[in-house]
Amino acid sequence: LTFEERMKPVTPPSIIRDDGKEGRWTVHFKQDDRFGEPKAFVIFQLLTDQVYSSAFSAALAQLYQSSVSDALEEYAYDARLAGLSYDVQVLPRGVRLTFAGYNDKLDEFSSYVSRKLSRDVGDVLPKTDAEFDRYKDNLMRGLTAFDAKQPYAHAIYYSTLTLQPRNFQYTNEQLRDAVRRITLPDLLQYSASLWSSGKGEALIQGNLDEKEALQLVEKVDKTLAFETISADQYPARLKVLPFPPVPPGAFASKLTVSEPNPSNNNAAVQVIIQSLGETEKDHVLIEILDGIVHEPFYEDLRTNQQLGYIVSTGVKAVGNTRFLNFVVQSSVFPTGKLIESTMKFLNEVRSKYLEPLNDGDVAVYCKGLLDKKTELDKRLSVEVTRNWAEISSGRLQFDRLQKEAAALIDLSKEDILRFWDNMYSQDSKERRVFISEVIPKSGVAASKAPPTSTGYASGKVNGFRNKDGSLRLGIDDIEQFRRDRET
C-alpha cells in the first residue's frame, strides 16, 4: 500500500437505527467490505446504572456471570464446534452481550442465549444452596488469590485503584466482604432485575446486510423486553481521576502498602507520570517518549544496577488520559532504593536522552510509530473491537489512528522537549507524578512496615503531607483520596 492509502481511514460504522436521546436503541452497523469472511460480530449493551452500583452488586455480577457460563457450557461447546461463540459481561455501565461466528446461524444463536440469560434465567442459576455455595467458594478463592500475585502486580493494582471512580472499581476487600454476605435469594433477585430496564446500544459488523442487522436487533429486543429509561438515568462514562499536581520542587505523591503475601520477599515500585492532554499530538508524544526511554531504563536499572528481574516501562490509555509507567521489582533492594534509582533516571531523561536527539533520531522514532498506527487490521475481530471502543466510550473517533499518524508527520525535537518539561519538570504546574510502593514483610528487601493510614482519611493535614507539600498515603486512605477527586 502507498502512504496515502495507509493514511486513509477505514470506512466507519454508520447508525442505522437511532430512537433519539430518550429512545430505546442506537444501532451502529458496518457491512464487511474488507475481509470476505462469512462471519459477523454482534455486540449488545444495555446501559443502566443499577447493576454495578455497589460492591454488593459487583459481587453479584461476578456470581451471575460464572453461574450462567457454567450452565450454558454444554450448549456453548456445541456452538463453538459450529463456529459460534458468545460472551456476557456485567460492567459498571450495564450488561454486554457479544456474539460472533457464521452469520447464517447468528440469528438463532443470539436469540437462544439472550432468552436464557434474561427470560429463562432460572434455568441457568443455582437451584440449591449447596450449588450456590460452590459458586461462592470459587469466587472467594479467586478473590483471595489476589494476595498471591507478584508485588509489582499489587503496586499496579493499587495505583489503578486510585485512578478509578469508586463505582467503576471496588476494592478486593470490599468484594470479599460482599461475597460473604450474599445469599441465593440475593442472586435470584439480582438476576431477575438485571435486564429489566436500560438503553440499548449495539454494533453489528460483518457479513450481514442492513435489513438482516435490523431484524436481528428487533428479535433480541423482543426477547429482552426491557423498559426504556430516560436520558437522566444513563450511567456516567468513565472519567479518570486526575492526580493532584505535585507542588513545584516537591518529590512526588506516594502510596505505601505492605505486601499481602508474607512469604513473598520482593519489593516493588510503580512510578506513574500522568498526562491530561487530549489532543492527538499529546497522545503520540507520550508514546514517542516511551519509545525513547524504554531500553535505557531497562539497561540502567536491570543490566547495570541489577536491581531486579522485573524492570519495564509502558504507556496506558484510559479514555483521553495517558500514563507513562515505570515498574521495578526486586528481591535484594528495598523500595527506597528502587524509587531513588527510578527518580534519578527520570531526572536525567532530558539531559541524557532528549537533548542529544537529532532530527534523524526523531524521524526514526516517529516513522516506527507511524507504521504501527497505519498498519491495516488483519482480522475482522480487531476492527470490531476498535470500533466498539469508540462507540462505548462515546468518542466516535473512528479515524483516531490516522489522526494520530498525521500528528507524527511534523513532530520535532522541540515538541518532545516541551511536552516532557510540561509533564515532568520540577517547576511545571502540570507535573502529576504518583508512586505506588509495596513493601515485603521479610527478606533483605524488607523495610519498616508502613502505617495503614497517614492521617489523610481523617483530615490530619500535618500527618499526610511531606515538608515539601507532597502527599503520603496508606492503604486505608485510598477511598478518601478517590472520593476527594470525584467532586
Side-chain angles (χ1 to χ4, degrees), residues 319-433:
N320 281 329
T321 304
R322 298 294 183 271
F323 309 90
L324 184 55
N325 304 306
F326 298 82
V327 175
V328 188
Q329 178 170 300
S330 175
S331 62
V332 292
F333 291 101
T335 58
K337 173 62 176 176
L338 306 184
I339 292 172
E340 177 188 348
S341 296
T342 301
M343 299 306 288
K344 182 177 184 295
F345 175 87
L346 293 174
N347 291 336
E348 295 176 346
V349 162
R350 193 186 210 280
S351 60
K352 277 191 173 182
Y353 307 111
L354 302 185
E355 291 178 357
L357 292 172
N358 57 41
D359 291 343
D361 297 327
V362 174
V364 169
Y365 285 116
C366 289
K367 184 180 185 305
L369 187 56
L370 190 149
D371 289 344
K372 180 180 177 181
K373 288 185 178 295
T374 57
E375 183 178 1
L376 290 178
D377 297 327
K378 294 182 173 59
R379 292 180 297 162
L380 175 61
S381 60
V382 176
E383 185 178 317
V384 171
T385 300
R386 186 163 43 77
N387 286 336
W388 179 252
E390 295 297 330
I391 293 167
S392 62
S393 68
R395 296 187 301 260
L396 303 178
Q397 295 176 348
F398 298 105
D399 59 348
R400 175 184 304 277
L401 293 178
Q402 284 72 27
K403 286 184 175 179
E404 290 181 351
L408 285 163
I409 294 175
D410 298 321
L411 215 61
S412 66
K413 173 182 173 180
E414 288 68 32
D415 291 325
I416 297 172
L417 289 170
R418 276 195 299 269
F419 185 79
W420 176 257
D421 288 344
N422 182 64
M423 189 172 70
Y424 187 76
S425 69
Q426 295 286 331
D427 57 352
S428 173
K429 295 180 180 179
E430 290 299 318
R431 184 171 183 256
R432 301 173 191 272
V433 183

Side-chain angles (χ1 to χ4, degrees), residues 89-365:
Q89 291 179 287
V90 185
L91 303 165
R93 301 192 68 239
V95 202
R96 181 182 302 168
L97 262 177
T98 303
F99 301 100
Y102 293 106
N103 54 279
D104 60 334
K105 301 175 182 178
L106 272 180
D107 187 306
E108 180 182 347
F109 178 59
S110 60
S111 295
Y112 176 85
V113 173
S114 58
R115 185 173 65 253
K116 286 295 182 184
L117 296 177
S118 55
R119 287 188 182 182
D120 303 337
V121 69
D123 295 345
V124 292
L125 293 177
K127 304 294 190 299
T128 65
D129 285 333
E131 186 182 0
F132 171 73
D133 287 341
R134 178 169 63 86
Y135 287 109
K136 272 187 65 171
D137 290 343
N138 288 340
L139 178 54
M140 184 61 81
R141 279 199 296 270
L143 291 169
T144 305
F146 165 84
D147 294 346
K149 289 185 176 181
Q150 287 294 316
Y152 79 89
H154 291 143
I156 293 171
Y157 163 79
Y158 286 115
S159 59
T160 301
L161 201 60
T162 65
L163 291 164
Q164 300 270 13
R166 287 168 297 151
N167 63 327
F168 272 81
Q169 183 176 353
Y170 300 100
T171 69
N172 187 277
E173 190 55 48
Q174 287 172 331
L175 293 173
R176 291 191 210 184
D177 178 66
V179 171
R180 295 185 189 102
R181 295 183 285 117
I182 291 174
T183 64
L184 179 55
D186 291 329
L187 179 60
L188 296 175
Q189 182 179 0
Y190 175 83
S191 302
S193 62
L194 192 59
W195 303 90
S196 61
S197 62
K199 158 77 174 184
E201 198 169 52
L203 168 65
I204 301 174
Q205 184 171 340
N207 191 37
L208 293 169
D209 60 31
E210 184 175 325
K211 181 180 179 182
E212 290 170 326
L214 288 171
Q215 287 174 343
L216 201 156
V217 172
E218 190 65 29
K219 197 165 185 178
V220 170
D221 183 36
K222 288 180 179 179
T223 301
L224 298 179
F226 58 87
E227 181 180 340
T228 306
I229 61 175
S230 58
D232 61 355
Q233 295 175 291
Y234 293 172
R237 297 189 188 278
L238 172 62
K239 188 174 182 181
V240 172
L241 304 177
F243 286 131
V246 178
F251 184 63
S253 301
K254 184 168 69 172
L255 168 66
T256 306
V257 177
S258 286
E259 165 57 34
N261 184 358
S263 63
N264 195 314
N265 59 6
N266 287 279
V269 165
Q270 182 189 34
V271 178
I272 301 175
I273 307 175
Q274 183 181 38
S275 168
L276 300 183
E278 296 187 355
T279 68
E280 287 83 9
K281 188 173 183 178
D282 291 326
H283 293 169
V284 297
L285 276 166
I286 199 168
E287 292 186 69
I288 290 292
L289 278 168
D290 180 54
I292 293 171
V293 303
H294 181 80
E295 288 188 12
F297 183 68
Y298 181 89
E299 183 177 355
D300 184 358
L301 275 70
R302 170 69 186 95
T303 306
N304 297 337
Q305 299 187 51
Q306 297 187 357
L307 296 185
Y309 284 98
I310 298 176
V311 176
S312 67
T313 75
V315 173
K316 182 177 181 179
V318 182
N320 281 329
T321 304
R322 298 294 183 271
F323 309 90
L324 184 55
N325 304 306
F326 298 82
V327 175
V328 188
Q329 178 170 300
S330 175
S331 62
V332 292
F333 291 101
T335 58
K337 173 62 176 176
L338 306 184
I339 292 172
E340 177 188 348
S341 296
T342 301
M343 299 306 288
K344 182 177 184 295
F345 175 87
L346 293 174
N347 291 336
E348 295 176 346
V349 162
R350 193 186 210 280
S351 60
K352 277 191 173 182
Y353 307 111
L354 302 185
E355 291 178 357
L357 292 172
N358 57 41
D359 291 343
D361 297 327
V362 174
V364 169
Y365 285 116

Side-chain angles (χ1 to χ4, degrees), residues 83-94:
L84 300 166
S85 65
Y86 87 97
D87 181 54
V88 58
Q89 291 179 287
V90 185
L91 303 165
R93 301 192 68 239

